[in-house]
Amino acid sequence: MRPTPRVETFPANTPAVSQIFTTVLSQGPLTRLEVARRAGLSPAAVTKAVRPLIEAGYLVEDAAEEARPALGRPANPVRVDGGRALFIGVKVTGGELIGVLTDLCCRIRVARHVPLTDRTTEAVLPHLTELVHQLLAEAEDLGTPVLGLGVAVSGDVDRAEGVVRYSPFLDWRDVPFAELAAMTTGLPVTVENDVRALTVAEQWFGAGVGLSDFAVVTVGTGIGCGLVVHGRVIEGAHGVAGEIGHVTVDPAGPPCHCGNRGCVEAIAGEAAILRRIRETTGADVTDTAQAVELAHRGAAGAREAYARAGEAIGRGIATVANLLGPERVIISGEGLAAYDLFAEQIRGAFAAAAFGSAAQCDVQTRPLPFEEWARGAAATAIQSFITPDDPHPSR
Amino acid sequence: MRPTPRVETFPANTPAVSQIFTTVLSQGPLTRLEVARRAGLSPAAVTKAVRPLIEAGYLVEDAAEEARPALGRPANPVRVDGGRALFIGVKVTGGELIGVLTDLCCRIRVARHVPLTDRTTEAVLPHLTELVHQLLAEAEDLGTPVLGLGVAVSGDVDRAEGVVRYSPFLDWRDVPFAELAAMTTGLPVTVENDVRALTVAEQWFGAGVGLSDFAVVTVGTGIGCGLVVHGRVIEGAHGVAGEIGHVTVDPAGPPCHCGNRGCVEAIAGEAAILRRIRETTGADVTDTAQAVELAHRGAAGAREAYARAGEAIGRGIATVANLLGPERVIISGEGLAAYDLFAEQIRGAFAAAAFGSAAQCDVQTRPLPFEEWARGAAATAIQSFITPDDPHPSR
DNA sequence: AGCCCTTCTTTTCCGTCGTCAATAAAAGAA
DNA sequence: TTCTTTTATTGACGACGGAAAAGAAGGGCT
C-alpha cells in the first residue's frame, strides 16, 4: 500500500454516507426526502447521514425559495458547500502541464499552464510540483484547504496503485507517479488515465449525471472513449478499455500508427485529417485552424476530409452503442471546434450503423474548454477523497 | 409487478447469503474459510450463512478426502446439493422448442425437443406448456421439486418485467410471456434473451467462473455476444447490447439484412458463408454440413469463405476487446463445428486488430452441445431463484 | 500415551447501520 | 384558531457482519 498523506479525511464511515453525499454533489440541491428516494434509502437514514456532513461543513442547508408547492412544511434542500475545500487537477501532455484549482463542486477557480520541453519523469515532476505549489498559494489566499491532487495522463494507468504502467506518448513505463507527487507536494494524489478522468467528471458533474450507462467520446489529436457501465467507469482487465480510436471502420483505409488500416483515429484524428487535406487539395495545411478555415471557405477536399472523419466517428459511436447499449453518448474534445463540419456525417453514420433500438441512444455534444482535462483530474481527486478505497472493488 | 407463483423460496434473507451460495455453487466444493476469502467476508459470517442453507438441504458437507495438508484440523468443504431441486430451461427457436431439466448445479438430466410449425405466441405457448409438463413428469419420477422455469428467446427481452419486447425472428412484440407461461405451468418463470442466458450459464457454470469481465461470442446462424462487466451481464439501456453481429468490419462488404454492408454477420453468419461459397464455387450448397465437407475436401472457394468469416469474427472480437478490455472471450455456438476452418483467421485477425495490452485477452473456444441454449435458460431460472429480485438493481 | 502444534470451525459478544413508527415542525387553508 | 399537508427528526429495534477467543480434529514429537 502506497502511504497516502492525509490532510483531512472525509467523515464517510459507511457506504450510505458517501452515496448520499455523491447524490447531493451531482444532483444539486435536494431535499432530504428526495435524496432518500434517489439513493434508495429511508428518510431517517438521510437525516442521520446528513447531520455530521453539515457539522463538518461539507453540506449546507440551502434556503432556496423557489416555486415551492404551497402546501405542507416547506422543504429544506441541502447542497454541497463548494467553498469548503479545494482540489487540484493537472493534465500532463507532451508539451505542457495544465493545472486547475477547483472547489468541492469541481468548479474551476484558477487555471494555469506550464510549458514542458522534456517529457521524462525527472523533468515533469519538478514542473508539476512548482505548478501545484503556485495553486496551493492561490488556495492559501482563499483561506481554503486543498484536500487532494489528481493527475491525468494518457495511456495505461493503474489508479489503485497510483502507477503509470505505460504511456506511449510520454514514454513512461511503470512510474509510481502518485507516490512521487505525494512526496513533493504533500497531498493525497490520484493518478488516472486522462479519458477516464474526463468521464468521471461527466459522470458526476456533467452530462452523465444520473445515468448508469453512458459513453464519452473525445475527438482531437486522438479519438478516445470513456465508458460507464452499471454506474462505474470501465477500467479494462489489462488497463486498456474504450479504445474506440482503434476500432476499424474501413480495412481499406489509411494506415494507422497502431499497425492496422482504417482505424477511426487514422481517419478522424487531427493528423489524419490534415494529411488527407494535404493529399487531396495540395494545400500545405499544418494545423487544425488552417484546415477548418479552408473547409469553411468551401474547399472541397477539406470538406471531404471532415466528412470522412465524421463518418468514421459516427461508425465508431454506433459500434459502442451496438455493443453496450448506453443511454447516452457525449461527444467532446478539442476537435469539436470543427463540429459543424462533420456533425451531419456523425449523426448520419450513427443512425445508419446503429442496430435496432440502439439507435435510440441520445448522442450529445459538449464543448470542451481546454482546462476540462485538468478538471477531470480534479474530479478523480474529489472522488478519491469522498469514496474511501474499497478493499473489495467488486466481485 | 407480475404475480409470481411461489413454489418454494430460497432462504436468502441477506445479500451475503446469496453471495456465499453463489460462490459455492460456481466454485465447486470449498471450505468455509475459502468461501470467506473469495466472498470478502469473515469466516464467522460464512458459518452463520451456511447453517440454514445446510438445514434447508441446498448445501451439503462434502467429506472429500483429497490430498489434504497433513497439518491442522481437516477442512470440511461444502458443496451445493445438485439433487435438491430441479429447474427447467426452454429455448424457443423458430422451428422448435428445446427443453432441458437440470439440477440445481445446472447439470442436464433430461433433454427434449418439440418441433414447431407456427411461431405465433398462441401456437408456441401450448407446445411449451406440454413440454414443461412432460419434464415435470420426469421430475416427479425423480421425486424432486421443480423450482423454476427459464425461457430463452432471441431479440429484445425485458427480463425484469418478463416481457418479450420485440423478437424479429419470432415476430413477437410486447408479449408478457413470463406471465403467460406462469399461468399455464404454475412455475415461477424467467424470460431472458438467449445470448444473455447463455452468458449467465458461462458466468456461473462455465468458462466465466470467477471472472468479473468477459465476453461470450456465439457463432451460428447469427453472430451474438453476451458481455459481463463488473460482474454483471450488460442489458443495454434500450434492451439491445452485445450486437457484435452488426459491427461493421468492411464497409465495402456484402449487404446485411440490417441495411448496412459488411457487418460481421453478413460475412460470418451461416447464410452469408453459404452464399459466398455458392458465388465463388458455383456449387449448390444449401447447408453447413455440405459447406464444411466441401471446405475439408479442399475446395478453394469454400476455404476462402471460411477464412473471410474467421477474419470478420476475429475483428469483431478485437473490437470488443478494445472497447471493454475483458479478461477472456469465450467463443461458442453451432458454427464451431467448422472451427478448424477459421480458427487461424480468428486468432490472426484478433491479434492484429487488438490494441496494446487488449491483445493479452484470453480467447477460448467452448464446444456448444445443442441443449446448451436451453441450459442457459435454466441458469437464469436458477439465478432468479437464488437472487431475490433487487428493488434497486444499481445506481 | 500424552502433549503440543497447526489449521479449520464455531461461539459469543458487540458495534453499527438503517428501518419503522411515531412525533415534531412549518407552513397555508378553513 | 384549528386542521391539513408535507417534510424532518427522534428513539426503539432488529439484524447483519466483524473481532476475538474458544473448540475441534487431526498429525507429529517426546
Side-chain angles (χ1 to χ4, degrees):
Chain A
M1 237 351 176
R2 163 168 56 86
T4 312
R6 272 286 166 234
V7 180
E8 174 182 334
T9 50
F10 187 71
N13 324 306
T14 138
V17 172
S18 42
Q19 197 197 359
I20 288 170
F21 186 79
T22 306
T23 304
V24 176
L25 180 62
S26 59
Q27 326 228 0
L30 291 174
T31 71
R32 291 168 173 77
L33 208 60
E34 190 54 33
V35 173
R37 212 167 292 140
R38 301 199 190 186
L41 297 168
S42 70
V46 175
T47 293
K48 282 181 232 184
V50 158
R51 198 194 328 277
L53 291 173
I54 288 182
E55 275 164 14
Y58 294 107
L59 295 181
V60 291
E61 298 213 316
D62 190 24
E65 311 296 335
E66 8 146 329
R68 76 156 59 110
L71 214 55
R73 171 174 172 172
N76 205 353
V78 163
R79 66 176 171 81
V80 172
D81 178 10
R84 171 65 178 77
L86 298 175
F87 293 83
I88 294 175
V90 177
K91 155 78 175 173
V92 182
T93 72
E96 64 177 348
L97 297 176
I98 306 171
V100 294
L101 184 69
T102 77
D103 66 16
L104 183 53
C105 296
C106 215
R107 287 176 299 229
I108 294 174
R109 298 292 185 90
V110 182
R112 200 162 282 196
H113 286 230
V114 174
L116 286 179
T117 50
D118 182 346
R119 54 188 66 170
T120 62
T121 320
E122 294 74 29
V124 170
L125 190 59
H127 282 109
L128 181 128
T129 306
E130 168 62 19
L131 173 60
V132 169
H133 280 131
Q134 285 178 21
L135 293 170
L136 282 173
E138 300 266 5
E140 192 83 30
D141 293 348
L142 293 169
T144 312
V146 173
L147 302 185
L149 166 63
V151 180
V153 177
S154 68
D156 178 357
V157 179
D158 185 335
R159 172 175 175 167
E161 296 295 320
V163 174
V164 178
R165 295 271 174 236
Y166 177 46
S167 173
F169 201 56
L170 297 171
D171 196 29
W172 290 4
R173 275 178 201 275
D174 293 313
V175 178
F177 201 79
E179 194 178 341
L180 297 175
M183 301 248 283
T184 63
T185 64
L187 291 171
V189 179
T190 305
V191 184
E192 179 58 291
N193 167 275
D194 54 355
V195 180
R196 289 200 291 260
L198 190 66
T199 305
V200 169
E202 285 300 309
Q203 183 183 20
W204 281 20
F205 307 105
V209 167
L211 304 183
S212 64
D213 298 85
F214 68 94
V216 175
V217 174
T218 64
V219 180
T221 312
I223 314 289
C225 177
L227 299 165
V228 173
V229 174
H230 300 152
R232 287 175 43 200
V233 176
I234 296 187
E235 299 271 334
H238 308 288
V240 169
E243 281 296 343
I244 197 180
H246 297 284
V247 165
T248 304
V249 294
D250 181 3
C256 176
H257 60 84
C258 76
N260 284 293
R261 289 186 157 273
C263 297
V264 173
E265 196 164 307
I267 298 172
E270 192 181 5
I273 294 176
L274 294 179
R275 187 178 318 114
R276 177 77 182 176
I277 295 179
R278 282 196 299 269
E279 282 171 14
T280 54
T281 67
D284 187 29
V285 288
T286 53
D287 70 26
T288 300
Q290 292 172 14
V292 170
E293 202 202 320
L294 207 58
H296 279 160
R297 282 209 314 262
R303 298 196 76 93
E304 187 259 9
Y306 276 105
R308 273 169 51 112
E311 205 177 307
I313 294 167
R315 282 230 163 106
I317 292 172
T319 300
V320 171
N322 286 345
L323 286 175
L324 297 175
E327 287 171 70
R328 179 175 291 167
V329 174
I330 303 159
I331 307 175
S332 192
E334 311 89 80
L336 277 201
Y339 186 67
D340 58 308
L341 293 170
F342 49 44
E344 202 181 312
Q345 283 78 14
I346 290 181
R347 295 196 180 273
F350 170 77
F355 181 77
S357 50
Q360 291 171 24
C361 172
D362 173 30
V363 179
Q364 293 192 349
T365 54
R366 296 252 302 171
L368 184 101
F370 68 95
E371 317 95 345
E372 197 69 12
W373 291 102
R375 183 167 172 257
T380 64
I382 295 172
Q383 193 180 48
S384 295
F385 175 66
I386 293 170
T387 312
D389 290 339
D390 191 344
H392 293 284
S394 89
R395 180 156 288 275
Chain B
M1 240 342 173
R2 162 171 54 90
T4 312
R6 272 285 167 235
V7 179
E8 175 184 332
T9 51
F10 187 71
N13 324 306
T14 136
V17 172
S18 42
Q19 197 196 357
I20 287 170
F21 186 78
T22 307
T23 304
V24 176
L25 180 62
S26 59
Q27 326 228 357
L30 290 174
T31 70
R32 292 168 171 79
L33 207 60
E34 190 55 32
V35 174
R37 213 167 291 142
R38 301 198 190 185
L41 297 168
S42 70
V46 175
T47 291
K48 279 184 261 191
V50 159
R51 196 189 336 274
L53 291 173
I54 287 183
E55 274 165 15
Y58 294 108
L59 294 182
V60 289
E61 298 213 318
D62 189 24
E65 311 296 335
E66 9 144 330
R68 76 155 60 109
L71 217 54
R73 171 174 173 171
N76 206 352
V78 162
R79 65 177 171 79
V80 172
D81 178 10
R84 171 65 178 78
L86 298 175
F87 293 83
I88 295 175
V90 178
K91 154 80 176 175
V92 182
T93 73
E96 64 178 348
L97 298 176
I98 306 171
V100 295
L101 182 69
T102 77
D103 66 14
L104 183 51
C105 295
C106 214
R107 286 176 300 228
I108 295 174
R109 299 291 186 92
V110 182
R112 201 161 281 197
H113 287 230
V114 173
L116 287 179
T117 49
D118 182 345
R119 53 187 66 169
T120 62
T121 320
E122 295 72 30
V124 170
L125 190 58
H127 283 108
L128 182 126
T129 306
E130 168 61 19
L131 173 60
V132 169
H133 280 131
Q134 286 178 21
L135 293 170
L136 282 173
E138 300 266 5
E140 193 83 30
D141 294 346
L142 294 168
T144 311
V146 173
L147 301 185
L149 165 63
V151 180
V153 177
S154 69
D156 178 357
V157 179
D158 184 335
R159 171 174 176 169
E161 297 296 320
V163 174
V164 177
R165 295 273 174 235
Y166 177 46
S167 173
F169 201 56
L170 297 171
D171 195 29
W172 289 6
R173 277 179 200 274
D174 293 313
V175 178
F177 201 80
E179 195 179 340
L180 297 174
M183 302 248 284
T184 62
T185 64
L187 292 171
V189 179
T190 306
V191 183
E192 179 59 291
N193 167 276
D194 54 354
V195 180
R196 288 202 291 261
L198 190 66
T199 305
V200 169
E202 285 300 308
Q203 182 183 19
W204 280 20
F205 307 105
V209 166
L211 303 182
S212 63
D213 298 85
F214 69 93
V216 175
V217 174
T218 65
V219 180
T221 312
I223 314 288
C225 178
L227 299 165
V228 173
V229 174
H230 300 152
R232 286 175 45 199
V233 177
I234 297 187
E235 298 271 333
H238 308 103
V240 169
E243 281 297 343
I244 197 180
H246 298 284
V247 165
T248 305
V249 294
D250 181 3
C256 178
H257 61 85
C258 75
N260 284 291
R261 289 187 156 270
C263 297
V264 172
E265 197 163 306
I267 298 172
E270 191 181 6
I273 293 176
L274 294 178
R275 187 179 316 115
R276 176 76 182 176
I277 294 178
R278 283 195 297 270
E279 283 171 12
T280 55
T281 67
D284 187 28
V285 288
T286 52
D287 69 25
T288 300
Q290 293 172 13
V292 170
E293 201 203 320
L294 207 58
H296 278 159
R297 284 210 312 265
R303 298 197 76 92
E304 187 259 8
Y306 277 105
R308 274 168 50 112
E311 206 177 306
I313 294 166
R315 282 229 162 106
I317 292 173
T319 300
V320 171
N322 287 344
L323 286 176
L324 297 175
E327 285 170 72
R328 180 174 292 167
V329 174
I330 303 159
I331 307 175
S332 193
E334 311 89 81
L336 275 201
Y339 187 65
D340 58 308
L341 294 170
F342 49 43
E344 200 181 312
Q345 284 77 15
I346 291 180
R347 296 197 178 273
F350 171 76
F355 180 76
S357 49
Q360 290 171 25
C361 172
D362 173 30
V363 180
Q364 292 191 352
T365 54
R366 296 252 301 172
L368 184 102
F370 69 93
E371 317 96 345
E372 196 70 12
W373 291 103
R375 183 168 171 254
T380 64
I382 295 173
Q383 192 180 49
S384 295
F385 175 66
I386 293 171
T387 312
D389 290 339
D390 191 344
H392 292 283
S394 88
R395 181 157 286 278

